[in-house]
Amino acid sequence: MEQFEYQITDEIGIHARPAGLFVKEASKYSSAVQISCNGKKGDGKSIFGIMGLGAAKGDTITVSVEGADEKEAAKEIEKFLKDNL
């Protein structure tokens, strides 16, 4: 399992547009993707799972990736977060 943390820098936090883009990025990989924030967990391949976290600017999310392509997926998802959130 690969895991990393990321602090949200977007002024609005994780709202619909970046959540949808995150799902699109995570869905490129066969590995399972989980996100947790403030004691809540969500499926990284579900827009509702991500939106349900209510992650705001300054919150730290933890992304866990597990599966056959976990190393590549974690690397690319972390890059996506840095570029978009």
Side-chain angles (χ1 to χ4, degrees):
M1 178 170 71
E2 296 289 316
Q3 188 171 337
F4 65 89
E5 291 185 343
Y6 180 77
Q7 185 174 22
I8 304 300
T9 57
D10 188 285
E11 290 294 324
I12 304 172
I14 300 181
H15 51 93
R17 184 177 173 279
L21 292 173
F22 185 97
V23 168
K24 187 175 181 180
E25 181 67 30
S27 295
K28 293 178 183 177
Y29 306 98
S30 62
S31 296
V33 179
Q34 291 286 320
I35 302 178
S36 59
C37 180
N38 299 324
K40 297 179 184 176
K41 289 185 179 182
D43 180 355
K45 295 183 179 183
S46 164
I47 194 165
F48 297 112
I50 296 171
M51 296 290 296
L53 298 174
K57 181 180 180 180
D59 286 347
T60 299
I61 61 171
T62 302
V63 179
S64 303
V65 185
E66 187 169 8
D69 56 359
E70 63 189 31
K71 289 191 185 307
E72 179 187 359
K75 180 180 138 189
E76 293 301 317
I77 290 169
E78 187 169 18
K79 181 183 181 307
F80 165 83
L81 288 170
K82 289 177 181 175
D83 292 345
N84 293 281
L85 286 172

